[in-house]
Every structure is written in structure tokens, then in C-alpha cells.
Amino acid sequence: QVQLVESGGGLVQAGGSLRLSCAASGSRFTIGTMGWYRQTPGKQREVLAFITRGGNTNYVDSVKGRFTISRDNTKNTVYLQMNSLKPEDTAVYYCNIRPWSASTATYWGQGTQVTVSS
């Protein structure tokens, strides 16, 4: 029912910037927390940032000060502005949403590739 469409990935040089977007559609529930994760082949998925429906944000230390998460509730869209990119940021980036309820359900986007060259 719910679909998450991600965009904005690509190839960028070290020190450059990218802005990822993830738009949710078809949901029959109010969206609560939204977040961004990333994963490289053969490695564990890593959480990057979360933002609550009210706009409260949290970041992991590796991206704090470089990445900014934001959302537009009228569009059911979450964004990730990535600045000062490093080669170690290369990964597949996934968005995630949770219902604004006690439900344990969680939903994922298809992933978008980000490659940072040195």
C-alpha cells in the first residue's frame, strides 16, 4: 500500500554536496518518525539520522555537522542534505518511516546509490 520513492543520489567529488529526497504515498496512517540509513556491500546497515513528526532531530556522530535531515509533512517527504562528502560516505542510502501510533510496522524505500570519489 505505502510506497517510498527516493531520489537525489549520484556521483560526486569529495567535498561536494547532494540532497536526497524520499516521498511517501499511499499510506493510510499518519506518518510519525522518519529516518535515513545507509549500507555498503557486506556490511551492516547504519542509522544516520531521525526526525520526529514535530521536527526533533538526532544524528550519529559520523555525520553530525555535515548532514541535515528535514521533512515536509504536507508532502509526506523527508530530505537529507549532505555536505562536505567524503569517500567513506559511499553507500546505498535508504529512507524509513514509522506510523504515528503504537504499531510496530516500518517501511523502507528502495535505496539510492551515493558514490563519493576522491
Side-chain angles (χ1 to χ4, degrees):
Q1 181 64 56
V2 62
Q3 300 179 42
L4 304 180
V5 180
E6 296 160 302
S7 62
L11 176 64
V12 65
Q13 292 183 318
S17 299
L18 287 173
R19 185 173 186 252
L20 306 183
S21 300
C22 177
S25 63
S27 62
R28 298 182 180 182
F29 54 85
T30 300
I31 298 174
T33 298
M34 309 177 83
W36 286 96
Y37 296 71
R38 68 186 179 191
Q39 186 171 21
T40 56
K43 299 181 180 179
Q44 297 296 314
R45 185 167 51 194
E46 175 189 15
V47 62
L48 300 177
F50 286 103
I51 183 168
T52 68
R53 182 170 179 81
N56 188 37
T57 60
N58 288 280
Y59 302 89
V60 295
D61 289 341
S62 60
V63 306
K64 190 175 299 181
R66 299 189 299 122
F67 292 8
T68 302
I69 189 171
S70 61
R71 66 190 288 170
D72 185 340
N73 291 337
T74 66
K75 300 178 180 179
N76 285 338
T77 299
V78 62
Y79 307 92
L80 187 67
Q81 178 67 46
M82 305 185 294
N83 299 324
S84 301
L85 283 163
K86 307 173 182 179
E88 50 263 45
D89 293 320
T90 296
V92 178
Y93 285 68
Y94 299 89
C95 66
N96 170 269
I97 65 171
R98 296 284 303 277
W100 191 30
S101 71
S103 175
T104 59
T106 187
Y107 301 90
W108 295 92
Q110 80 286 352
T112 184
Q113 177 71 46
V114 172
T115 302
V116 184
S117 62
S118 60

